[in-house]
Amino acid sequence: MTAANLHISCLDATCYAGRDPQQDRLGSHMRLHSPWHPHLPPGDASPAERLADALADDILREKLDAGDRLPAHRDLAWRLGIGVGSVTRAYAMLERRGLVRSVRGRGMFVASRPGGSGHMIDLSANMPPPMFGNRALARTLDRLAHTVDPALFNVYPPIAGHIEHRRIMSHWLTELGVDMPPDRLLLTSGAQQALGVAVSVCSRVRTIAITEELAYPGMLSLLRQAGLLPHGLPMDRHGLLPGPLERMLRAHGTGRCVLYVTPTMHNPTTATMDQTRRHDIARICRAHDALIIEDDVYDCARDDLLPPLVTLTPERTFYVNSLSKTLSPGLRIGTLAPPARFMAAAQDALLNSSLMIAPLSYAMMAQWMLDGTAASVRRALRGEAGRRRELALRLLGPVLTAPSYDAFHAWMPMSVEQAAAFVSAAACQDVRVTPAQPFMADPDVCTKGGIRLCLGPAGLPDLTEALHRLRHVHERMQQ
């Protein structure tokens, strides 16, 4: 053997010790045919997760095109200094996300172009993920077939709802920190009807409507239809600011205003009032005899440090809650607790709204609450909300306002102009999101822009993929 041959043999032994020569040849062949330049970003995540992120980033940045070959498993593991199993797991993650595809006997290839897969991922509908599968629904319906009272279906229900169902709802609200007797509750066809009844009653005795500068679009529409043009007031991370509220109430005079507010997990900004802020808002409204419509649909657990406003000012607060956000979107049962002096007027408004809760919804609500299903689902949904929130923070991090409460939406603050461009760019990536415009109480003066991301409806693989795409949209806009 010549010295040159000996030198080459030694290099081979050093670099490829313990490796299959045939696999080495295959690895060399694959390196020549894969345009990807392997790299592993730093971080605390596992090598598989970091590798999947690196490849996904380059695919979504259009550094790789559909049909491009990825490096072979062993070759990539050797070049990055990680285990073959880590490469296998990373490729599996990318395949579940629809970014790569495996061709038997040939290898792994980029599957989709970053411009969109043709499958729109909708992050614009604000609802929790589905928690009731076929089996759970079948079991419930089977029980109801043997236990349901035929009277539910054979007669009109009382205007406020059957007293036994109001007792069940009263117990549910008690677990949220709202101790409201059944005879103070009106059951409604979802929170929207409850809000409509509250607006109908308030519009008879108040002429000025005040909201946060961004507020639930459905409520803004109700206020405008009732002739109460909403005045939006500034917010911070704790929600509505007390100073501007007090100045607005003083300017319009005592007994003329109604305030619509969402103290917990504000839609869309996720702001949650702390205890001090809640007491300040209650004190100011009492001092100026302002009525309050409290939207509490995102409240999912009792917290004595975050008391609902109705517990602080029951004499002036119309309290609204619903099962749609904390149990199931299909269970269209809301509740309204008006101040005692407005109970008769609220019942009249409810009667005139001509909507009735479906008897089957009543029966399912009772079944789930009495057998413990509802409480179990509520706990599970809160856990799922926490997981999805952490996923969004991990992938979008600094560009999100970190929610301080568990629900299924998140907020990306940005200027109104940036938000419009972001919505268009996200749509090109097959992701649908909601800008701030529909939430603006005063569109001509509001400068608070942003994007609401709804984390509930999409399955976790689609949600993960959508958040990756949105991260790259944001990065491109910053370049």
Side-chain angles (χ1 to χ4, degrees), residues 41 109 187 275 326 333 342 359 406 414 446:
F109 297 83
L187 299 185
Q275 188 178 52
T326 55
I333 300 180
F342 292 110
D406 293 322
M414 61 183 72
C446 182

Side-chain angles (χ1 to χ4, degrees), residues 346-368:
Q347 285 184 312
D348 287 343
L350 181 56
L351 175 62
N352 293 332
S353 68
S354 71
L355 290 175
M356 184 183 77
I357 300 173
L360 185 58
S361 292
Y362 270 137
M364 295 184 79
M365 175 193 76
Q367 178 66 47
W368 286 341

Side-chain angles (χ1 to χ4, degrees), residues 225-267:
Q225 289 173 12
L228 296 172
L229 296 182
H231 297 269
L233 297 183
M235 307 170 58
D236 63 9
R237 64 189 183 92
H238 295 302
L240 184 67
L241 289 167
L245 173 63
E246 187 157 28
R247 288 191 291 272
M248 176 70 75
L249 293 177
R250 186 181 298 118
H252 286 290
T254 299
R256 296 191 60 199
C257 297
V258 56
L259 170 67
Y260 167 69
V261 66
T262 306
T264 300
M265 199 63 183
H266 174 262
N267 180 19

Side-chain angles (χ1 to χ4, degrees), residues 117-369:
S117 62
H119 167 54
M120 180 65 74
I121 304 175
D122 191 353
L123 302 188
S124 67
N126 200 5
M127 64 183 76
M131 299 298 288
F132 294 97
N134 292 341
R135 284 188 175 182
L137 289 173
R139 284 196 300 269
T140 299
L141 293 173
D142 182 62
R143 292 191 193 109
L144 291 178
H146 296 90
T147 61
V148 70
D149 184 353
L152 282 176
F153 297 85
N154 294 329
V155 298
Y156 289 122
I159 298 303
H162 294 284
I163 188 61
E164 57 267 33
H165 295 146
R166 294 157 72 188
R167 288 194 186 101
I168 291 171
M169 183 62 78
S170 175
H171 177 72
W172 179 262
L173 294 179
T174 297
E175 294 179 355
L176 300 179
V178 179
D179 296 319
M180 194 67 64
D183 60 1
R184 285 283 314 283
L185 297 178
L186 304 178
L187 299 185
T188 63
S189 183
Q192 185 71 15
Q193 188 185 26
L195 291 172
V197 170
V199 169
S200 176
V201 174
C202 290
S203 65
R204 303 175 195 176
V205 294
R206 295 294 187 268
T207 57
I208 307 296
I210 300 172
T211 73
E212 298 107 336
E213 58 187 326
L214 299 178
Y216 169 52
M219 183 57 164
L220 295 178
S221 177
L222 288 170
L223 290 171
R224 291 169 183 142
Q225 289 173 12
L228 296 172
L229 296 182
H231 297 269
L233 297 183
M235 307 170 58
D236 63 9
R237 64 189 183 92
H238 295 302
L240 184 67
L241 289 167
L245 173 63
E246 187 157 28
R247 288 191 291 272
M248 176 70 75
L249 293 177
R250 186 181 298 118
H252 286 290
T254 299
R256 296 191 60 199
C257 297
V258 56
L259 170 67
Y260 167 69
V261 66
T262 306
T264 300
M265 199 63 183
H266 174 262
N267 180 19
T269 69
T270 75
T272 295
M273 292 184 181
D274 60 16
Q275 188 178 52
T276 300
R277 181 67 53 86
R278 292 170 191 248
H279 281 276
D280 286 344
I281 297 298
R283 172 184 53 79
I284 292 168
C285 287
R286 184 180 293 112
H288 295 275
D289 192 22
L291 297 179
I292 300 171
I293 301 176
E294 179 180 15
D295 191 339
D296 202 31
V297 297
Y298 299 105
D299 197 348
C300 60
R302 185 184 190 108
D303 187 340
D304 293 335
L305 295 179
L306 301 177
L309 296 180
V310 69
T311 65
L312 304 178
T313 56
E315 79 286 353
R316 66 188 61 256
T317 301
F318 292 77
Y319 177 81
V320 174
N321 208 307
S322 169
L323 300 181
S324 297
K325 304 297 186 185
T326 55
L327 192 56
S328 172
L331 202 59
R332 299 288 298 174
I333 300 180
T335 185
L336 172 66
R341 59 187 163 130
F342 292 110
M343 188 66 177
Q347 285 184 312
D348 287 343
L350 181 56
L351 175 62
N352 293 332
S353 68
S354 71
L355 290 175
M356 184 183 77
I357 300 173
L360 185 58
S361 292
Y362 270 137
M364 295 184 79
M365 175 193 76
Q367 178 66 47
W368 286 341
M369 289 192 178

Side-chain angles (χ1 to χ4, degrees), residues 33-58:
H33 287 80
S34 175
W36 190 57
H37 300 290
H39 59 96
L40 196 64
D44 296 329
S46 69
E49 292 173 310
R50 288 184 284 141
L51 175 57
D53 283 345
L55 269 165
D57 286 349
D58 286 350

Side-chain angles (χ1 to χ4, degrees), residues 414-443:
M414 61 183 72
S415 72
V416 175
E417 295 76 16
Q418 287 176 319
F422 190 94
V423 170
S424 297
C428 291
Q429 298 290 329
D430 291 333
V431 182
R432 184 179 294 120
V433 295
T434 308
Q437 279 85 345
F439 300 92
M440 291 180 177
D442 297 317

